[in-house]
Amino acid sequence: MDKLRELTIVGAGNGGKALAGDLANKGWDVNLFEVPEFIGGLKEIMEKKEITVSENGVETTGKLKSVTTDIAAAVKGQKLIVV
């Protein structure tokens, strides 16, 4: 994968998930990180490594490279990190 199309998103709130899903749908390799205390609502995303996003009534599912609570693993080798 082109290193310029890889990134880590730190924070899996509504904005982080929306960005992760949108970029994954556009062919980016996306790592999604969340602190362990807030991971409860992300179990399904962690298991499937997918996020479904909806835009103008059209749903698409993006495949994520990883979803983790390990910040070192999430950012290892990344040039782009979105917080």
Side-chain angles (χ1 to χ4, degrees), residues 12 30 62:
V30 178

Side-chain angles (χ1 to χ4, degrees), residues 16-72:
K17 288 188 287 190
L19 182 60
D22 188 48
L23 291 175
N25 279 322
K26 292 179 175 152
W28 284 68
D29 278 348
V30 178
N31 293 332
L32 182 60
F33 166 82
E34 184 57 271
V35 294
E37 294 82 17
F38 298 118
I39 204 70
L42 297 175
K43 295 292 185 191
E44 186 176 342
I45 293 171
M46 286 187 83
E47 290 171 7
K48 294 183 177 182
K49 293 188 180 136
E50 294 178 344
I51 294 183
T52 300
V53 293
S54 178
E55 183 177 351
N56 298 323
V58 177
E59 287 190 348
T60 54
T61 300
K63 187 76 173 160
L64 303 174
K65 183 176 177 185
S66 73
V67 182
T68 184
T69 59
D70 181 348
I71 190 67

